[in-house]
Amino acid sequence: QVHVEESGGGSVQSGGSLRLSCVSSGHTRSNYCMGWFRQTPGKEREGVAAIDSDGHTSYAESVKGRFTISHDNVKNTLYLQMNSLKAEDTAVYYCAAGRSVLQYGVCPLYPNNLWGQGTQVTVSS
């Protein structure tokens, strides 16, 4: 089971930037993906961005051109650079590992995926 720990959230004004980090451990597969997700109260968790072991990336339409996902294989750390932040980006952000490379742009999570604590991002307008 892959364990993750997110950090880097905070409060910024609209138009500002933040970089989220996610340290992971327990990977056993050479082909895998990692993804960032976010959730606001009363709404389902949604995918934001994903990257796989082949270097392919995918983004939600709402963040394309503003967010960049990357992964440091040596440090086992996933990043999400968020620029031009908007109030609607306010959410708790989570990372998770998937069991294969991206499938049609989607990172398929393990059935027993264990979500971390997440990191709060608050954007004020």
Side-chain angles (χ1 to χ4, degrees), residues 37-82:
F37 303 80
R38 66 187 181 188
Q39 188 172 26
T40 55
K43 293 187 178 181
E44 291 189 0
R45 200 173 337 234
E46 63 173 354
V48 175
I51 188 169
D52 67 20
S53 47
D54 290 340
H56 299 116
T57 60
S58 66
Y59 297 91
E61 285 296 324
S62 59
V63 306
K64 278 184 179 178
R66 300 188 298 121
F67 291 10
T68 303
I69 189 171
S70 60
H71 187 255
D72 186 324
N73 295 327
V74 175
K75 296 182 178 179
N76 281 332
T77 301
L78 181 72
Y79 301 100
L80 186 67
Q81 178 65 45
M82 305 187 295

Side-chain angles (χ1 to χ4, degrees), residues 1-6 45 94-97 109-118:
Q1 192 171 34
V2 178
H3 293 270
V4 298
E5 183 171 350
E6 306 93 343
R45 200 173 337 234
Y94 303 87
C95 67
L109 303 183
Y110 290 99
N112 61 344
N113 176 61
L114 184 65
W115 294 102
Q117 293 293 318

